[in-house]
PDB file of all heavy atoms in Angstrom:
ATOM      1  N   ALA A   1      -8.324   0.312  16.234  1.00  0.00           N
ATOM      2  CA  ALA A   1      -7.359   1.025  15.394  1.00  0.00           C
ATOM      3  C   ALA A   1      -6.753   0.098  14.342  1.00  0.00           C
ATOM      4  O   ALA A   1      -6.578   0.492  13.184  1.00  0.00           O
ATOM      5  CB  ALA A   1      -6.263   1.634  16.261  1.00  0.00           C
ATOM      6  N   GLU A   2      -6.427  -1.132  14.737  1.00  0.00           N
ATOM      7  CA  GLU A   2      -5.838  -2.068  13.777  1.00  0.00           C
ATOM      8  C   GLU A   2      -6.804  -2.364  12.630  1.00  0.00           C
ATOM      9  O   GLU A   2      -6.424  -2.360  11.452  1.00  0.00           O
ATOM     10  CB  GLU A   2      -5.434  -3.367  14.471  1.00  0.00           C
ATOM     11  CG  GLU A   2      -4.775  -4.369  13.540  1.00  0.00           C
ATOM     12  CD  GLU A   2      -4.104  -5.524  14.260  1.00  0.00           C
ATOM     13  OE1 GLU A   2      -3.770  -5.379  15.446  1.00  0.00           O
ATOM     14  OE2 GLU A   2      -3.917  -6.578  13.617  1.00  0.00           O
ATOM     15  N   LEU A   3      -8.070  -2.610  12.956  1.00  0.00           N
ATOM     16  CA  LEU A   3      -9.066  -2.871  11.918  1.00  0.00           C
ATOM     17  C   LEU A   3      -9.208  -1.673  10.985  1.00  0.00           C
ATOM     18  O   LEU A   3      -9.245  -1.817   9.752  1.00  0.00           O
ATOM     19  CB  LEU A   3     -10.416  -3.189  12.553  1.00  0.00           C
ATOM     20  CG  LEU A   3     -10.527  -4.445  13.410  1.00  0.00           C
ATOM     21  CD1 LEU A   3     -11.950  -4.609  13.917  1.00  0.00           C
ATOM     22  CD2 LEU A   3     -10.107  -5.670  12.630  1.00  0.00           C
ATOM     23  N   LEU A   4      -9.271  -0.490  11.558  1.00  0.00           N
ATOM     24  CA  LEU A   4      -9.506   0.700  10.744  1.00  0.00           C
ATOM     25  C   LEU A   4      -8.273   1.083   9.928  1.00  0.00           C
ATOM     26  O   LEU A   4      -8.401   1.607   8.816  1.00  0.00           O
ATOM     27  CB  LEU A   4      -9.944   1.856  11.649  1.00  0.00           C
ATOM     28  CG  LEU A   4     -11.308   1.633  12.324  1.00  0.00           C
ATOM     29  CD1 LEU A   4     -11.589   2.724  13.350  1.00  0.00           C
ATOM     30  CD2 LEU A   4     -12.429   1.575  11.290  1.00  0.00           C
ATOM     31  N   MET A   5      -7.072   0.812  10.450  1.00  0.00           N
ATOM     32  CA  MET A   5      -5.860   1.050   9.659  1.00  0.00           C
ATOM     33  C   MET A   5      -5.858   0.185   8.406  1.00  0.00           C
ATOM     34  O   MET A   5      -5.554   0.657   7.299  1.00  0.00           O
ATOM     35  CB  MET A   5      -4.612   0.757  10.512  1.00  0.00           C
ATOM     36  CG  MET A   5      -4.332   1.792  11.587  1.00  0.00           C
ATOM     37  SD  MET A   5      -3.033   1.268  12.735  1.00  0.00           S
ATOM     38  CE  MET A   5      -1.591   1.388  11.686  1.00  0.00           C
ATOM     39  N   VAL A   6      -6.203  -1.075   8.570  1.00  0.00           N
ATOM     40  CA  VAL A   6      -6.279  -1.980   7.420  1.00  0.00           C
ATOM     41  C   VAL A   6      -7.390  -1.529   6.472  1.00  0.00           C
ATOM     42  O   VAL A   6      -7.217  -1.505   5.242  1.00  0.00           O
ATOM     43  CB  VAL A   6      -6.507  -3.433   7.884  1.00  0.00           C
ATOM     44  CG1 VAL A   6      -6.809  -4.345   6.696  1.00  0.00           C
ATOM     45  CG2 VAL A   6      -5.280  -3.941   8.633  1.00  0.00           C
ATOM     46  N   GLY A   7      -8.528  -1.148   7.038  1.00  0.00           N
ATOM     47  CA  GLY A   7      -9.634  -0.690   6.214  1.00  0.00           C
ATOM     48  C   GLY A   7      -9.278   0.530   5.381  1.00  0.00           C
ATOM     49  O   GLY A   7      -9.615   0.602   4.186  1.00  0.00           O
ATOM     50  N   LYS A   8      -8.595   1.494   5.982  1.00  0.00           N
ATOM     51  CA  LYS A   8      -8.205   2.701   5.250  1.00  0.00           C
ATOM     52  C   LYS A   8      -7.196   2.365   4.150  1.00  0.00           C
ATOM     53  O   LYS A   8      -7.245   2.933   3.051  1.00  0.00           O
ATOM     54  CB  LYS A   8      -7.621   3.740   6.222  1.00  0.00           C
ATOM     55  CG  LYS A   8      -8.672   4.431   7.068  1.00  0.00           C
ATOM     56  CD  LYS A   8      -8.040   5.394   8.058  1.00  0.00           C
ATOM     57  CE  LYS A   8      -7.455   6.607   7.359  1.00  0.00           C
ATOM     58  NZ  LYS A   8      -8.500   7.493   6.795  1.00  0.00           N
ATOM     59  N   HIS A   9      -6.280   1.439   4.433  1.00  0.00           N
ATOM     60  CA  HIS A   9      -5.291   1.042   3.423  1.00  0.00           C
ATOM     61  C   HIS A   9      -5.980   0.384   2.226  1.00  0.00           C
ATOM     62  O   HIS A   9      -5.641   0.667   1.069  1.00  0.00           O
ATOM     63  CB  HIS A   9      -4.276   0.083   4.039  1.00  0.00           C
ATOM     64  CG  HIS A   9      -3.276  -0.443   3.058  1.00  0.00           C
ATOM     65  ND1 HIS A   9      -2.234   0.307   2.579  1.00  0.00           N
ATOM     66  CD2 HIS A   9      -3.183  -1.654   2.445  1.00  0.00           C
ATOM     67  CE1 HIS A   9      -1.526  -0.412   1.720  1.00  0.00           C
ATOM     68  NE2 HIS A   9      -2.085  -1.608   1.623  1.00  0.00           N
ATOM     69  N   ILE A  10      -6.946  -0.479   2.493  1.00  0.00           N
ATOM     70  CA  ILE A  10      -7.682  -1.144   1.415  1.00  0.00           C
ATOM     71  C   ILE A  10      -8.427  -0.112   0.577  1.00  0.00           C
ATOM     72  O   ILE A  10      -8.399  -0.138  -0.660  1.00  0.00           O
ATOM     73  CB  ILE A  10      -8.659  -2.178   2.003  1.00  0.00           C
ATOM     74  CG1 ILE A  10      -7.876  -3.339   2.629  1.00  0.00           C
ATOM     75  CG2 ILE A  10      -9.625  -2.691   0.934  1.00  0.00           C
ATOM     76  CD1 ILE A  10      -8.727  -4.260   3.480  1.00  0.00           C
ATOM     77  N   ASN A  11      -9.085   0.815   1.251  1.00  0.00           N
ATOM     78  CA  ASN A  11      -9.868   1.831   0.551  1.00  0.00           C
ATOM     79  C   ASN A  11      -8.991   2.732  -0.308  1.00  0.00           C
ATOM     80  O   ASN A  11      -9.322   3.043  -1.462  1.00  0.00           O
ATOM     81  CB  ASN A  11     -10.650   2.667   1.568  1.00  0.00           C
ATOM     82  CG  ASN A  11     -11.470   3.759   0.926  1.00  0.00           C
ATOM     83  OD1 ASN A  11     -10.977   4.866   0.692  1.00  0.00           O
ATOM     84  ND2 ASN A  11     -12.725   3.465   0.643  1.00  0.00           N
ATOM     85  N   ALA A  12      -7.835   3.119   0.234  1.00  0.00           N
ATOM     86  CA  ALA A  12      -6.960   4.046  -0.475  1.00  0.00           C
ATOM     87  C   ALA A  12      -6.330   3.416  -1.702  1.00  0.00           C
ATOM     88  O   ALA A  12      -6.004   4.112  -2.669  1.00  0.00           O
ATOM     89  CB  ALA A  12      -5.868   4.553   0.472  1.00  0.00           C
ATOM     90  N   ASN A  13      -6.151   2.083  -1.691  1.00  0.00           N
ATOM     91  CA  ASN A  13      -5.457   1.411  -2.785  1.00  0.00           C
ATOM     92  C   ASN A  13      -6.387   0.629  -3.707  1.00  0.00           C
ATOM     93  O   ASN A  13      -5.924   0.011  -4.655  1.00  0.00           O
ATOM     94  CB  ASN A  13      -4.383   0.483  -2.217  1.00  0.00           C
ATOM     95  CG  ASN A  13      -3.259   1.241  -1.544  1.00  0.00           C
ATOM     96  OD1 ASN A  13      -2.337   1.713  -2.194  1.00  0.00           O
ATOM     97  ND2 ASN A  13      -3.329   1.383  -0.225  1.00  0.00           N
ATOM     98  N   ASP A  14      -7.697   0.667  -3.419  1.00  0.00           N
ATOM     99  CA  ASP A  14      -8.701   0.030  -4.279  1.00  0.00           C
ATOM    100  C   ASP A  14      -8.309  -1.410  -4.613  1.00  0.00           C
ATOM    101  O   ASP A  14      -8.166  -1.793  -5.771  1.00  0.00           O
ATOM    102  CB  ASP A  14      -8.882   0.851  -5.556  1.00  0.00           C
ATOM    103  CG  ASP A  14     -10.137   0.432  -6.327  1.00  0.00           C
ATOM    104  OD1 ASP A  14     -11.048  -0.118  -5.689  1.00  0.00           O
ATOM    105  OD2 ASP A  14     -10.177   0.641  -7.552  1.00  0.00           O
ATOM    106  N   LEU A  15      -8.137  -2.229  -3.562  1.00  0.00           N
ATOM    107  CA  LEU A  15      -7.599  -3.573  -3.724  1.00  0.00           C
ATOM    108  C   LEU A  15      -8.698  -4.620  -3.894  1.00  0.00           C
ATOM    109  O   LEU A  15      -9.808  -4.474  -3.384  1.00  0.00           O
ATOM    110  CB  LEU A  15      -6.754  -3.940  -2.503  1.00  0.00           C
ATOM    111  CG  LEU A  15      -5.593  -3.006  -2.156  1.00  0.00           C
ATOM    112  CD1 LEU A  15      -4.933  -3.462  -0.857  1.00  0.00           C
ATOM    113  CD2 LEU A  15      -4.577  -2.969  -3.283  1.00  0.00           C
ATOM    114  N   THR A  16      -8.375  -5.693  -4.605  1.00  0.00           N
ATOM    115  CA  THR A  16      -9.162  -6.922  -4.571  1.00  0.00           C
ATOM    116  C   THR A  16      -8.630  -7.721  -3.389  1.00  0.00           C
ATOM    117  O   THR A  16      -7.469  -8.132  -3.380  1.00  0.00           O
ATOM    118  CB  THR A  16      -8.996  -7.722  -5.874  1.00  0.00           C
ATOM    119  OG1 THR A  16      -9.386  -6.908  -6.973  1.00  0.00           O
ATOM    120  CG2 THR A  16      -9.848  -8.981  -5.842  1.00  0.00           C
ATOM    121  N   VAL A  17      -9.459  -7.953  -2.386  1.00  0.00           N
ATOM    122  CA  VAL A  17      -8.897  -8.326  -1.089  1.00  0.00           C
ATOM    123  C   VAL A  17      -9.828  -9.246  -0.313  1.00  0.00           C
ATOM    124  O   VAL A  17     -11.050  -9.234  -0.481  1.00  0.00           O
ATOM    125  CB  VAL A  17      -8.599  -7.040  -0.269  1.00  0.00           C
ATOM    126  CG1 VAL A  17      -9.881  -6.284   0.030  1.00  0.00           C
ATOM    127  CG2 VAL A  17      -7.848  -7.356   1.009  1.00  0.00           C
ATOM    128  N   ILE A  18      -9.193 -10.048   0.542  1.00  0.00           N
ATOM    129  CA  ILE A  18      -9.878 -10.851   1.556  1.00  0.00           C
ATOM    130  C   ILE A  18      -9.242 -10.519   2.902  1.00  0.00           C
ATOM    131  O   ILE A  18      -8.013 -10.463   3.012  1.00  0.00           O
ATOM    132  CB  ILE A  18      -9.735 -12.360   1.272  1.00  0.00           C
ATOM    133  CG1 ILE A  18     -10.333 -12.721  -0.091  1.00  0.00           C
ATOM    134  CG2 ILE A  18     -10.393 -13.188   2.376  1.00  0.00           C
ATOM    135  CD1 ILE A  18      -9.984 -14.128  -0.554  1.00  0.00           C
ATOM    136  N   VAL A  19     -10.068 -10.280   3.901  1.00  0.00           N
ATOM    137  CA  VAL A  19      -9.596 -10.069   5.269  1.00  0.00           C
ATOM    138  C   VAL A  19     -10.152 -11.201   6.127  1.00  0.00           C
ATOM    139  O   VAL A  19     -11.359 -11.468   6.100  1.00  0.00           O
ATOM    140  CB  VAL A  19     -10.057  -8.710   5.831  1.00  0.00           C
ATOM    141  CG1 VAL A  19      -9.701  -8.586   7.306  1.00  0.00           C
ATOM    142  CG2 VAL A  19      -9.423  -7.568   5.045  1.00  0.00           C
ATOM    143  N   ALA A  20      -9.273 -11.882   6.848  1.00  0.00           N
ATOM    144  CA  ALA A  20      -9.705 -13.042   7.630  1.00  0.00           C
ATOM    145  C   ALA A  20      -9.007 -13.055   8.979  1.00  0.00           C
ATOM    146  O   ALA A  20      -7.896 -12.542   9.126  1.00  0.00           O
ATOM    147  CB  ALA A  20      -9.389 -14.336   6.867  1.00  0.00           C
ATOM    148  N   GLY A  21      -9.673 -13.664   9.952  1.00  0.00           N
ATOM    149  CA  GLY A  21      -9.036 -13.838  11.248  1.00  0.00           C
ATOM    150  C   GLY A  21     -10.027 -13.792  12.394  1.00  0.00           C
ATOM    151  O   GLY A  21     -11.240 -13.647  12.205  1.00  0.00           O
ATOM    152  N   ASP A  22      -9.480 -13.918  13.579  1.00  0.00           N
ATOM    153  CA  ASP A  22     -10.232 -13.732  14.816  1.00  0.00           C
ATOM    154  C   ASP A  22     -10.081 -12.255  15.177  1.00  0.00           C
ATOM    155  O   ASP A  22      -9.043 -11.832  15.686  1.00  0.00           O
ATOM    156  CB  ASP A  22      -9.657 -14.638  15.915  1.00  0.00           C
ATOM    157  CG  ASP A  22     -10.256 -14.349  17.289  1.00  0.00           C
ATOM    158  OD1 ASP A  22     -11.177 -13.525  17.396  1.00  0.00           O
ATOM    159  OD2 ASP A  22      -9.770 -14.948  18.275  1.00  0.00           O
ATOM    160  N   LEU A  23     -11.114 -11.469  14.917  1.00  0.00           N
ATOM    161  CA  LEU A  23     -11.027 -10.029  15.131  1.00  0.00           C
ATOM    162  C   LEU A  23     -11.385  -9.628  16.557  1.00  0.00           C
ATOM    163  O   LEU A  23     -11.352  -8.442  16.897  1.00  0.00           O
ATOM    164  CB  LEU A  23     -11.937  -9.294  14.144  1.00  0.00           C
ATOM    165  CG  LEU A  23     -11.676  -9.579  12.658  1.00  0.00           C
ATOM    166  CD1 LEU A  23     -12.503  -8.649  11.793  1.00  0.00           C
ATOM    167  CD2 LEU A  23     -10.200  -9.464  12.315  1.00  0.00           C
ATOM    168  N   ASN A  24     -11.730 -10.600  17.391  1.00  0.00           N
ATOM    169  CA  ASN A  24     -12.109 -10.316  18.772  1.00  0.00           C
ATOM    170  C   ASN A  24     -13.171  -9.228  18.852  1.00  0.00           C
ATOM    171  O   ASN A  24     -13.172  -8.394  19.761  1.00  0.00           O
ATOM    172  CB  ASN A  24     -10.878  -9.957  19.600  1.00  0.00           C
ATOM    173  CG  ASN A  24     -10.157 -11.186  20.109  1.00  0.00           C
ATOM    174  OD1 ASN A  24     -10.777 -12.109  20.644  1.00  0.00           O
ATOM    175  ND2 ASN A  24      -8.837 -11.243  19.914  1.00  0.00           N
ATOM    176  N   ASP A  25     -14.055  -9.262  17.887  1.00  0.00           N
ATOM    177  CA  ASP A  25     -15.188  -8.343  17.850  1.00  0.00           C
ATOM    178  C   ASP A  25     -16.317  -9.045  17.114  1.00  0.00           C
ATOM    179  O   ASP A  25     -16.068  -9.908  16.256  1.00  0.00           O
ATOM    180  CB  ASP A  25     -14.805  -7.051  17.125  1.00  0.00           C
ATOM    181  CG  ASP A  25     -15.745  -5.898  17.454  1.00  0.00           C
ATOM    182  OD1 ASP A  25     -16.643  -6.079  18.312  1.00  0.00           O
ATOM    183  OD2 ASP A  25     -15.594  -4.813  16.865  1.00  0.00           O
ATOM    184  N   VAL A  26     -17.540  -8.686  17.433  1.00  0.00           N
ATOM    185  CA  VAL A  26     -18.688  -9.292  16.777  1.00  0.00           C
ATOM    186  C   VAL A  26     -19.011  -8.559  15.482  1.00  0.00           C
ATOM    187  O   VAL A  26     -18.656  -7.394  15.295  1.00  0.00           O
ATOM    188  CB  VAL A  26     -19.913  -9.285  17.711  1.00  0.00           C
ATOM    189  CG1 VAL A  26     -19.796 -10.380  18.754  1.00  0.00           C
ATOM    190  CG2 VAL A  26     -20.098  -7.931  18.371  1.00  0.00           C
ATOM    191  N   ALA A  27     -19.692  -9.252  14.584  1.00  0.00           N
ATOM    192  CA  ALA A  27     -19.975  -8.696  13.263  1.00  0.00           C
ATOM    193  C   ALA A  27     -20.849  -7.452  13.338  1.00  0.00           C
ATOM    194  O   ALA A  27     -20.751  -6.572  12.481  1.00  0.00           O
ATOM    195  CB  ALA A  27     -20.659  -9.762  12.404  1.00  0.00           C
ATOM    196  N   TRP A  28     -21.697  -7.367  14.363  1.00  0.00           N
ATOM    197  CA  TRP A  28     -22.681  -6.279  14.433  1.00  0.00           C
ATOM    198  C   TRP A  28     -22.199  -5.092  15.260  1.00  0.00           C
ATOM    199  O   TRP A  28     -22.963  -4.148  15.481  1.00  0.00           O
ATOM    200  CB  TRP A  28     -23.993  -6.805  15.017  1.00  0.00           C
ATOM    201  CG  TRP A  28     -23.792  -7.637  16.251  1.00  0.00           C
ATOM    202  CD1 TRP A  28     -23.551  -7.204  17.516  1.00  0.00           C
ATOM    203  CD2 TRP A  28     -23.813  -9.065  16.317  1.00  0.00           C
ATOM    204  NE1 TRP A  28     -23.408  -8.252  18.373  1.00  0.00           N
ATOM    205  CE2 TRP A  28     -23.571  -9.418  17.668  1.00  0.00           C
ATOM    206  CE3 TRP A  28     -24.020 -10.076  15.372  1.00  0.00           C
ATOM    207  CZ2 TRP A  28     -23.525 -10.739  18.090  1.00  0.00           C
ATOM    208  CZ3 TRP A  28     -23.968 -11.388  15.795  1.00  0.00           C
ATOM    209  CH2 TRP A  28     -23.738 -11.718  17.135  1.00  0.00           C
ATOM    210  N   SER A  29     -20.973  -5.092  15.725  1.00  0.00           N
ATOM    211  CA  SER A  29     -20.504  -3.979  16.548  1.00  0.00           C
ATOM    212  C   SER A  29     -20.337  -2.712  15.715  1.00  0.00           C
ATOM    213  O   SER A  29     -20.200  -2.744  14.488  1.00  0.00           O
ATOM    214  CB  SER A  29     -19.167  -4.325  17.207  1.00  0.00           C
ATOM    215  OG  SER A  29     -18.110  -4.220  16.264  1.00  0.00           O
ATOM    216  N   HIS A  30     -20.306  -1.592  16.400  1.00  0.00           N
ATOM    217  CA  HIS A  30     -20.101  -0.302  15.731  1.00  0.00           C
ATOM    218  C   HIS A  30     -18.786  -0.287  14.965  1.00  0.00           C
ATOM    219  O   HIS A  30     -18.725   0.157  13.807  1.00  0.00           O
ATOM    220  CB  HIS A  30     -20.115   0.819  16.776  1.00  0.00           C
ATOM    221  CG  HIS A  30     -19.742   2.162  16.235  1.00  0.00           C
ATOM    222  ND1 HIS A  30     -20.569   2.881  15.396  1.00  0.00           N
ATOM    223  CD2 HIS A  30     -18.614   2.903  16.387  1.00  0.00           C
ATOM    224  CE1 HIS A  30     -19.972   4.026  15.064  1.00  0.00           C
ATOM    225  NE2 HIS A  30     -18.792   4.055  15.643  1.00  0.00           N
ATOM    226  N   THR A  31     -17.732  -0.819  15.578  1.00  0.00           N
ATOM    227  CA  THR A  31     -16.416  -0.795  14.934  1.00  0.00           C
ATOM    228  C   THR A  31     -16.371  -1.680  13.701  1.00  0.00           C
ATOM    229  O   THR A  31     -15.837  -1.282  12.657  1.00  0.00           O
ATOM    230  CB  THR A  31     -15.331  -1.237  15.929  1.00  0.00           C
ATOM    231  OG1 THR A  31     -15.309  -0.335  17.029  1.00  0.00           O
ATOM    232  CG2 THR A  31     -13.958  -1.241  15.266  1.00  0.00           C
ATOM    233  N   THR A  32     -16.921  -2.891  13.789  1.00  0.00           N
ATOM    234  CA  THR A  32     -16.885  -3.791  12.633  1.00  0.00           C
ATOM    235  C   THR A  32     -17.690  -3.225  11.475  1.00  0.00           C
ATOM    236  O   THR A  32     -17.267  -3.291  10.312  1.00  0.00           O
ATOM    237  CB  THR A  32     -17.404  -5.187  13.017  1.00  0.00           C
ATOM    238  OG1 THR A  32     -16.611  -5.702  14.094  1.00  0.00           O
ATOM    239  CG2 THR A  32     -17.304  -6.143  11.838  1.00  0.00           C
ATOM    240  N   ARG A  33     -18.846  -2.658  11.774  1.00  0.00           N
ATOM    241  CA  ARG A  33     -19.653  -2.075  10.702  1.00  0.00           C
ATOM    242  C   ARG A  33     -18.957  -0.849  10.100  1.00  0.00           C
ATOM    243  O   ARG A  33     -19.021  -0.638   8.880  1.00  0.00           O
ATOM    244  CB  ARG A  33     -21.036  -1.724  11.233  1.00  0.00           C
ATOM    245  CG  ARG A  33     -21.880  -2.959  11.513  1.00  0.00           C
ATOM    246  CD  ARG A  33     -23.288  -2.652  11.979  1.00  0.00           C
ATOM    247  NE  ARG A  33     -23.277  -2.028  13.300  1.00  0.00           N
ATOM    248  CZ  ARG A  33     -23.746  -0.821  13.560  1.00  0.00           C
ATOM    249  NH1 ARG A  33     -24.273  -0.088  12.590  1.00  0.00           N
ATOM    250  NH2 ARG A  33     -23.704  -0.325  14.780  1.00  0.00           N
ATOM    251  N   MET A  34     -18.268  -0.067  10.926  1.00  0.00           N
ATOM    252  CA  MET A  34     -17.525   1.064  10.388  1.00  0.00           C
ATOM    253  C   MET A  34     -16.330   0.579   9.570  1.00  0.00           C
ATOM    254  O   MET A  34     -15.996   1.170   8.538  1.00  0.00           O
ATOM    255  CB  MET A  34     -17.058   1.997  11.513  1.00  0.00           C
ATOM    256  CG  MET A  34     -16.364   3.260  10.990  1.00  0.00           C
ATOM    257  SD  MET A  34     -16.166   4.542  12.233  1.00  0.00           S
ATOM    258  CE  MET A  34     -15.072   3.738  13.392  1.00  0.00           C
ATOM    259  N   PHE A  35     -15.680  -0.490  10.016  1.00  0.00           N
ATOM    260  CA  PHE A  35     -14.597  -1.095   9.234  1.00  0.00           C
ATOM    261  C   PHE A  35     -15.092  -1.480   7.846  1.00  0.00           C
ATOM    262  O   PHE A  35     -14.400  -1.256   6.843  1.00  0.00           O
ATOM    263  CB  PHE A  35     -14.054  -2.323   9.965  1.00  0.00           C
ATOM    264  CG  PHE A  35     -13.252  -3.248   9.095  1.00  0.00           C
ATOM    265  CD1 PHE A  35     -11.970  -2.920   8.698  1.00  0.00           C
ATOM    266  CD2 PHE A  35     -13.795  -4.451   8.650  1.00  0.00           C
ATOM    267  CE1 PHE A  35     -11.229  -3.769   7.879  1.00  0.00           C
ATOM    268  CE2 PHE A  35     -13.068  -5.305   7.838  1.00  0.00           C
ATOM    269  CZ  PHE A  35     -11.785  -4.962   7.450  1.00  0.00           C
ATOM    270  N   GLN A  36     -16.289  -2.047   7.770  1.00  0.00           N
ATOM    271  CA  GLN A  36     -16.843  -2.404   6.464  1.00  0.00           C
ATOM    272  C   GLN A  36     -17.040  -1.175   5.581  1.00  0.00           C
ATOM    273  O   GLN A  36     -16.728  -1.192   4.384  1.00  0.00           O
ATOM    274  CB  GLN A  36     -18.179  -3.126   6.637  1.00  0.00           C
ATOM    275  CG  GLN A  36     -18.067  -4.616   6.885  1.00  0.00           C
ATOM    276  CD  GLN A  36     -19.381  -5.310   6.618  1.00  0.00           C
ATOM    277  OE1 GLN A  36     -20.156  -5.552   7.540  1.00  0.00           O
ATOM    278  NE2 GLN A  36     -19.637  -5.602   5.365  1.00  0.00           N
ATOM    279  N   ARG A  37     -17.550  -0.109   6.174  1.00  0.00           N
ATOM    280  CA  ARG A  37     -17.793   1.102   5.383  1.00  0.00           C
ATOM    281  C   ARG A  37     -16.488   1.752   4.953  1.00  0.00           C
ATOM    282  O   ARG A  37     -16.345   2.210   3.812  1.00  0.00           O
ATOM    283  CB  ARG A  37     -18.651   2.087   6.174  1.00  0.00           C
ATOM    284  CG  ARG A  37     -20.060   1.583   6.473  1.00  0.00           C
ATOM    285  CD  ARG A  37     -20.952   2.691   7.003  1.00  0.00           C
ATOM    286  NE  ARG A  37     -20.491   3.255   8.266  1.00  0.00           N
ATOM    287  CZ  ARG A  37     -20.817   2.805   9.464  1.00  0.00           C
ATOM    288  NH1 ARG A  37     -21.623   1.738   9.575  1.00  0.00           N
ATOM    289  NH2 ARG A  37     -20.371   3.375  10.574  1.00  0.00           N
ATOM    290  N   ILE A  38     -15.514   1.799   5.858  1.00  0.00           N
ATOM    291  CA  ILE A  38     -14.228   2.418   5.530  1.00  0.00           C
ATOM    292  C   ILE A  38     -13.506   1.616   4.452  1.00  0.00           C
ATOM    293  O   ILE A  38     -12.924   2.168   3.513  1.00  0.00           O
ATOM    294  CB  ILE A  38     -13.345   2.526   6.788  1.00  0.00           C
ATOM    295  CG1 ILE A  38     -13.924   3.549   7.778  1.00  0.00           C
ATOM    296  CG2 ILE A  38     -11.908   2.888   6.426  1.00  0.00           C
ATOM    297  CD1 ILE A  38     -13.846   4.992   7.321  1.00  0.00           C
ATOM    298  N   SER A  39     -13.532   0.296   4.566  1.00  0.00           N
ATOM    299  CA  SER A  39     -12.805  -0.571   3.626  1.00  0.00           C
ATOM    300  C   SER A  39     -13.590  -0.847   2.348  1.00  0.00           C
ATOM    301  O   SER A  39     -13.001  -1.175   1.315  1.00  0.00           O
ATOM    302  CB  SER A  39     -12.469  -1.903   4.297  1.00  0.00           C
ATOM    303  OG  SER A  39     -13.662  -2.619   4.613  1.00  0.00           O
ATOM    304  N   GLY A  40     -14.929  -0.758   2.437  1.00  0.00           N
ATOM    305  CA  GLY A  40     -15.764  -1.126   1.306  1.00  0.00           C
ATOM    306  C   GLY A  40     -15.937  -2.627   1.149  1.00  0.00           C
ATOM    307  O   GLY A  40     -16.389  -3.098   0.101  1.00  0.00           O
ATOM    308  N   LEU A  41     -15.606  -3.397   2.187  1.00  0.00           N
ATOM    309  CA  LEU A  41     -15.686  -4.853   2.092  1.00  0.00           C
ATOM    310  C   LEU A  41     -17.081  -5.368   2.453  1.00  0.00           C
ATOM    311  O   LEU A  41     -17.836  -4.723   3.177  1.00  0.00           O
ATOM    312  CB  LEU A  41     -14.641  -5.503   2.997  1.00  0.00           C
ATOM    313  CG  LEU A  41     -13.173  -5.158   2.701  1.00  0.00           C
ATOM    314  CD1 LEU A  41     -12.254  -5.996   3.567  1.00  0.00           C
ATOM    315  CD2 LEU A  41     -12.847  -5.340   1.220  1.00  0.00           C
ATOM    316  N   LEU A  42     -17.373  -6.560   1.961  1.00  0.00           N
ATOM    317  CA  LEU A  42     -18.670  -7.191   2.168  1.00  0.00           C
ATOM    318  C   LEU A  42     -18.567  -8.320   3.184  1.00  0.00           C
ATOM    319  O   LEU A  42     -17.503  -8.916   3.376  1.00  0.00           O
ATOM    320  CB  LEU A  42     -19.197  -7.745   0.840  1.00  0.00           C
ATOM    321  CG  LEU A  42     -19.212  -6.794  -0.366  1.00  0.00           C
ATOM    322  CD1 LEU A  42     -19.798  -7.499  -1.584  1.00  0.00           C
ATOM    323  CD2 LEU A  42     -19.960  -5.518  -0.060  1.00  0.00           C
TER     324      LEU A  42
END
């Protein structure tokens, strides 16, 4: 939920942004990949 809340905020505000940290999730998980799609981040 925390990842997706941030992702939705980024998407809604069309921000130039960096997201960093220990997300306690792997890059290839369903949630992380959905976070990328929701946020539009690379």
Side-chain angles (χ1 to χ4, degrees):
E2 182 167 338
L3 296 182
L4 294 172
M5 288 170 71
V6 171
K8 285 177 70 69
H9 176 75
I10 292 168
N11 179 273
N13 293 277
D14 194 24
L15 303 176
T16 302
V17 64
I18 300 169
V19 173
D22 171 5
L23 303 188
N24 276 313
D25 199 5
V26 283
W28 47 78
S29 77
H30 173 71
T31 299
T32 302
R33 289 183 293 119
M34 184 166 64
F35 162 75
Q36 275 198 264
R37 295 192 298 271
I38 291 291
S39 64
L41 300 187
L42 309 181

